[in-house]
């Protein structure tokens, strides 16, 4: 494999088509990411309250602080990645060297270290969680930015993103959704509430993630030439000046962070208490993942037929919002078939919108470069992720705060009507309203296919 540093290889053609094996090599990092990200987003709150025994309010505060710190740190991590120069490129080293501590911390987050006092447990979880999310950013921010240096072909970027989201869906929705509770029960003597089962499952996921990160590091190649001189943070902030497409896309990621992560965090509570059976989570995720996969598969077919990439997230957000508002009034115990059908439709539409949004992110890099002369792929990627993580922080911690405010007690098999109502609202009604608003915002996204390539030609002409 040729690992020539793109900083000194000016002859490389950047408007290229990648072979499938390179797309797969790139995509498996998002598979590995979801063995940490989705695992934590879906189960950490439930594990901390129902298995490790920390109060919902304390865990919610911990998650809010950790995620907000994570969001604030993201632009600086992205800026550092943009300024990195090695023989492997700017972003690949971060994937390799950030993944090792990430996998260790992923295991520790579910390890139930035997600490007697609530204060000790809280401090332990606080340190582990904050360092965990920081290490995740050190991998994921450069990884997201790497899309912009693999090729400058906008359709190929959408294809790469589809591979990426397919891997994320296969791991995050299908494998984690189907395997987590059975693995926990298997290693925990038949109980999904076993601390040993959760610890062993986390160890398996972390080991598999590390293997996938190593495969990705050796399988991808950066070909877009970075600036000859390292950029200051001030120059990279400048890349957001007047970058309308990036601001619109960023708002979309903010809302996506709210409703995707809020729903993920509340699912175990929803099926345990609203539906009365935590094992329904596994059945639900099978259907949800199948629709996710179909949605990701259709994106490249639809995307190449659209003049403006924003068409899919625009209508996807609006339709998803309407579906979630309807689902607020559906009782899964009485109307399981309708509940599953609507959620499958929601799954396919929302993942399609999100897939296209990731494909739009690198186009905003060129838009910023065209407007300001500064190329800052890592910084712009971090800006999008910053807003998504703000949404994530509010979405996940909001579940914990709502549970605490409504008198949730993990020791009780039945919760109050007030608690059940808020669980339902967080899963459906609130994200539904926000999703519709986000869809309306995307009507302002004007960077279509024709203007993108015209802009790219002008950038190349200015370099000549």
């Amino acid at each position: 494999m040729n690992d020539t540093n793109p900083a000194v290889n000016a002859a490389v053609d950047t408007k290229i088509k990648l072979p499938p094996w390179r797309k797969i090599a790139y995509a498996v990092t998002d598979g590995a990411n979801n063995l940490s990200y989705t695992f934590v987003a879906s189960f950490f709150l439930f594990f901390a309250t129902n298995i490790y025994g920390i109060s919902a309010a304390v865990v919610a505060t911990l998650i809010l602080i950790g995620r907000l710190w994570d969001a604030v740190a993201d632009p600086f991590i992205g800026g550092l990645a943009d300024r990195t120069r090695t023989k492997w490129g700017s972003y690949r080293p971060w994937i390799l060297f950030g993944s090792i501590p990430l996998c260790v911390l992923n295991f520790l987050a579910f390890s139930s270290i035997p600490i007697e006092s609530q204060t000790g447990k809280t401090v332990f979880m606080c340190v582990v969680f904050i360092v965990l999310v920081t290490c995740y950013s050190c991998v994921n921010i450069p990884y997201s930015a790497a899309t912009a240096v693999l090729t400058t072909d906008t359709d190929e970027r959408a294809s790469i993103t589809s591979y990426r989201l397919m891997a994320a869906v296969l791991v995050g929705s299908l494998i984690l959704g189907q395997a987590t509770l059975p693995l926990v029960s298997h290693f925990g003597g038949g109980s999904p509430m076993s601390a040993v089962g959760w610890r062993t499952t986390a160890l398996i996921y972390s080991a598999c993630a590390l293997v996938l990160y190593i495969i990705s590091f050796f399988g991808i190649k950066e070909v877009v030439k970075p600036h000859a001189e390292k950029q200051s943070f001030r120059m990279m902030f400048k890349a957001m000046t007047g970058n309308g497409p990036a601001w619109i896309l960023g708002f979309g990621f903010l809302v996506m962070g709210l409703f995707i992560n809020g729903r993920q965090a509340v699912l175990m509570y929803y099926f345990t208490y609203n539906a009365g059976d935590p094992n329904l989570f596994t059945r639900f995720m099978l259907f949800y993942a199948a629709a996710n996969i179909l949605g990701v598969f259709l994106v490249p077919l639809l995307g190449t037929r659209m003049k403006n990439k924003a068409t899919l997230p625009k209508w996807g957000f609006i339709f998803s919002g309407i579906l979630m508002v309807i689902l607020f009034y559906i009782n899964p115990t009485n109307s399981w078939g309708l509940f599953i059908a609507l959620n499958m439709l929601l799954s396919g539409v929302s993942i399609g919108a999100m897939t296209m949004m990731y494909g739009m992110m690198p186009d905003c890099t060129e838009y910023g470069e065209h407007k300001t002369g500064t190329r800052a792929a890592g910084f712009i990627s971090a800006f999008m992720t910053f807003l998504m993580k703000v949404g994530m922080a509010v979405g996940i911690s909001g579940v914990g705060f709502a549970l605490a405010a409504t008198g949730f007690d993990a020791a009780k098999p039945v919760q109050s009507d007030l608690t059940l109502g808020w669980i339902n609202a967080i899963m459906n009604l609130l994200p539904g309203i926000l999703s519709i608003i986000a869809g309306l915002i995307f009507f302002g996204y004007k960077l279509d296919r024709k203007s993108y390539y015209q802009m790219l030609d002008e950038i190349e002409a200015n370099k000549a």
Side-chain angles (χ1 to χ4, degrees):
M1 183 181 301
N2 180 13
D3 279 323
T4 304
N5 184 355
V8 295
N9 188 0
V12 172
D13 178 19
T14 62
K15 197 179 294 185
I16 61 173
K17 302 291 185 182
L18 274 66
W21 70 268
R22 281 206 187 274
K23 295 179 184 179
I24 293 171
Y26 177 73
V28 297
T29 283
D30 225 11
N33 281 346
N34 279 272
L35 289 170
S36 175
Y37 170 84
T38 302
F39 186 42
V40 170
S42 299
F43 299 108
F44 179 77
L45 179 61
F46 184 83
F47 170 84
T49 57
N50 289 47
I51 311 301
Y52 203 41
I54 303 178
S55 74
V58 170
V59 181
T61 303
L62 162 63
I63 291 174
L64 180 62
I65 293 172
R67 289 300 185 186
L68 288 177
W69 154 252
D70 184 29
V72 170
D74 279 356
F76 295 97
I77 292 172
L80 288 172
D82 281 334
R83 299 168 70 191
T84 299
R85 300 290 182 268
T86 74
K87 66 179 181 180
W88 300 301
S90 296
Y91 307 114
R92 287 173 62 206
W94 289 80
I95 295 173
L96 179 63
F97 297 112
S99 64
I100 298 172
L102 171 62
C103 292
V104 172
L105 290 157
N106 198 53
F107 165 69
L108 289 176
F110 292 89
S111 62
S112 290
I113 297 297
I115 301 172
E116 292 296 329
S117 69
Q118 279 287 310
T119 301
K121 286 184 176 181
T122 301
V123 171
F124 169 75
M125 278 297 202
C126 182
V127 172
V128 168
F129 186 78
I130 290 176
V131 181
L132 167 65
V133 297
T134 304
C135 288
Y136 179 78
S137 291
C138 288
V139 173
N140 189 57
I141 296 300
Y143 170 66
S144 296
T147 308
V149 298
L150 301 180
T151 178
T152 55
D153 186 300
T154 188
D155 291 325
E156 193 68 358
R157 286 174 172 177
S159 175
I160 294 168
T161 303
S162 296
Y163 274 75
R164 170 187 177 176
L165 268 293
M166 180 65 75
V169 166
L170 286 172
V171 174
S173 295
L174 186 59
I175 295 177
L176 286 179
Q178 296 306 296
T180 300
L181 293 186
L183 281 173
V184 171
S185 296
H186 174 75
F187 292 109
S191 171
M193 301 296 177
S194 165
V196 174
W198 283 98
R199 180 169 61 247
T200 307
T201 301
L203 178 62
I204 292 170
Y205 287 167
S206 299
C208 292
L210 185 58
V211 171
L212 293 175
Y213 284 127
I214 293 171
I215 291 172
S216 187
F217 172 78
F218 285 105
I220 63 176
K221 180 182 178 182
E222 300 180 22
V223 299
V224 178
K225 181 182 177 181
H227 286 276
E229 297 181 1
K230 293 183 178 181
Q231 301 165 339
S232 67
F233 281 104
R234 183 178 180 181
M235 291 172 63
M236 287 182 282
F237 273 105
K238 185 181 176 183
M240 289 301 301
T241 304
N243 196 334
W247 288 102
I248 292 171
L249 189 60
F251 183 79
F253 275 108
L254 173 67
V255 174
M256 187 68 72
L258 274 166
F259 91 70
I260 290 291
N261 294 281
R263 287 191 112 228
Q264 283 179 335
V266 83
L267 274 175
M268 280 296 294
Y269 296 99
Y270 184 85
F271 288 113
T272 301
Y273 302 109
N274 292 57
D277 183 0
N279 292 313
L280 287 176
F281 172 87
T282 302
R283 291 174 56 190
F284 169 83
M285 288 305 298
L286 177 61
F287 295 105
Y288 201 82
N292 261 192
I293 293 169
L294 181 60
V296 173
F297 178 76
L298 289 176
V299 167
L301 301 178
L302 296 174
T304 55
R305 290 166 172 77
M306 295 176 181
K307 294 181 179 179
N308 191 324
K309 288 182 179 180
T311 301
L312 191 55
K314 175 170 58 183
W315 294 110
F317 268 116
I318 292 173
F319 190 50
S320 294
I322 293 171
L323 288 172
M324 282 186 280
V325 172
I326 293 172
L327 280 163
F328 176 73
Y329 298 98
I330 304 295
N331 187 334
T333 57
N334 299 331
S335 307
W336 178 253
L338 179 60
F339 175 80
I340 288 296
L342 292 178
N343 268 289
M344 287 183 71
L345 192 55
L346 167 63
S347 170
V349 171
S350 62
I351 196 66
M354 185 168 66
T355 301
M356 186 59 78
M357 285 166 60
Y358 277 105
M360 294 160 66
M361 191 187 299
D363 295 353
C364 294
T365 298
E366 273 85 29
Y367 189 91
E369 183 179 6
H370 182 257
K371 292 282 289 186
T372 67
T374 299
R375 182 180 180 85
F379 185 83
I380 289 177
S381 170
F383 172 76
M384 305 296 176
T385 309
F386 164 79
L387 291 175
M388 185 172 70
K389 287 183 178 178
V390 170
M392 181 192 308
V394 175
I396 297 177
S397 64
V399 175
F401 286 127
L403 292 175
T406 57
F408 171 79
D409 186 348
K412 295 180 179 179
V414 179
Q415 304 298 324
S416 69
D417 289 341
L418 181 62
T419 300
L420 296 179
W422 270 100
I423 289 173
N424 187 20
I426 292 170
M427 181 164 169
N428 295 306
L429 184 61
L430 298 179
I433 294 170
L434 285 170
S435 185
I436 293 171
I437 294 172
L440 296 175
I441 295 294
F442 269 98
F443 276 88
Y445 190 95
K446 304 300 182 182
L447 183 58
D448 59 18
R449 190 181 309 278
K450 180 180 178 180
S451 60
Y452 170 78
Y453 279 115
Q454 180 180 349
M455 178 183 68
L456 198 63
D457 290 339
E458 291 175 3
I459 292 174
E460 293 300 321
N462 291 333
K463 290 179 180 179

